[in-house]
Amino acid sequence: MTRVVVVGDLMTDAVARAKFPLARASDTPAVVTMHGGGSGANIASWLAVEGSEVAFIGRRGADITGRNRDMELMGYGVDARLVMDPERPTGTCVVLVTHKGERTMLSDPGANAALSPEDLPRDLFSAGGHLHVSGYTLINEGSRDAGLAALDMARRAGMSISIDCASSAPLERTGAEPFLEWTDGAKLLFANADQAKVLTGRDDPASAAKVLTAWFPQVVIKINAEGSLWYSNSRPEPVRAPAEVVDRVVDGTGAGDAFAAGFLPVWLDGKPPAEALAAGNALAARCISNLGARPRL
């Protein structure tokens, strides 16, 4: 089994699910719940509960929420390598979910923005392992040096590398060219259709994936209800896998993270891309059937 090292964001998600259409400048009844979040931490959690050996590198505040997030990760079986920030709070994301299920996120990275190269445990970077970097770590200027240092350490150690694109709006603000330059040398890119469009200008996911293989040997595009596709610069056509049917969508938060956690172990084991896509789709389906972005403890 390949050990996966995840460098990324640790958050607390405050999920507010509106019962009716949002009443702007007034009150709307909602159900508000608190959950562990952060793209990197979510992926690590799903990997661990599915049986992978996984370590997570991140930063938390010296607050009660940071302690709770730390304990959650250990409960999932993650080797949590969290540095406690004495000044910044643990990151928080307010997730607004409309009565129709559309999500809008308001993020305060908190301690995530102070992740530094000195926070990276050298013992985790060794030959035969795999590094997965959350795009948020690279997009956030405060943690970018840590993300770049992790990529450099993984390359030097001979580890395989995958990158997640984070979210389309901050990716667009950062710019496609810098992001592609920072992630040079990664073997696999995860993106959804919107993020792939930001990076390439292509509306069609397959066309965008083909363009992205100029930078990454393999590209995976998540296409929501249409499932997912994998494209390699060594094949003429993409491999596609349909989404699993879900009786009731409870919360879409973290579905892309669960997908990556389902895909990676199968892909690292050298199985066909169709199997890896199917595993990713299956775990994403489990995620959206539950409230919150993490597995149930």
Side-chain angles (χ1 to χ4, degrees), residues 208-279:
K210 186 174 183 179
V211 171
L212 287 168
T213 57
W215 286 274
F216 307 95
Q218 299 182 42
V219 176
V220 172
I221 308 291
K222 300 162 285 184
I223 327 174
N224 297 326
E226 296 179 37
S228 55
L229 67 83
W230 170 92
Y231 207 112
S232 168
N233 54 16
S234 64
R235 292 176 62 118
E237 297 294 333
V239 175
R240 298 176 182 268
E244 291 206 353
V245 176
V246 177
D247 293 333
R248 178 170 174 260
V249 176
V250 176
D251 183 4
T253 309
D257 303 327
F259 173 90
F263 182 95
L264 277 173
V266 182
W267 178 77
L268 287 168
D269 200 32
K271 300 291 180 59
E275 288 188 30
L277 292 172

Side-chain angles (χ1 to χ4, degrees), residues 16-17 75 100 125 139 153 190 206 218-219 223 226-227 241 261 279 294:
R17 298 176 57 84
K100 293 184 177 180
F125 293 84
I139 288 172
M153 291 166 64
F190 289 101
Q218 299 182 42
V219 176
I223 327 174
E226 296 179 37
R294 302 269 190 88

Side-chain angles (χ1 to χ4, degrees), residues 59-62 83-89 111:
R59 199 171 179 95
R60 71 170 180 89
V83 175
M84 188 168 65
D85 192 303
E87 299 177 357
R88 299 180 186 231

Side-chain angles (χ1 to χ4, degrees), residues 32-58:
V32 180
T33 52
M34 308 294 286
H35 308 271
S39 179
N42 294 341
I43 290 173
S45 300
W46 283 105
L47 281 166
V49 298
E50 289 300 297
S52 293
E53 181 185 355
V54 56
F56 174 73
I57 302 170

Side-chain angles (χ1 to χ4, degrees), residues 9 12 30 43 60 92 103 105 107 120 124 140 166 175 177 189 191 202 228 230 235 242 264 268 272 275-276 287 291:
D9 43 321
T12 295
I43 290 173
R60 71 170 180 89
T92 302
R103 291 178 298 123
M105 292 173 283
S107 299
L120 305 175
L124 293 179
N140 190 305
E177 187 174 347
L189 176 75
R202 305 295 180 91
S228 55
W230 170 92
R235 292 176 62 118
L264 277 173
L268 287 168
E275 288 188 30
C287 180
L291 189 60

Side-chain angles (χ1 to χ4, degrees), residues 6 29 61 63 98 103 111 159 172 191 194 200 217 246 261:
V6 180
D63 46 27
T98 70
R103 291 178 298 123
M159 300 170 70
E172 187 169 20
D194 290 337
T200 67
V246 177

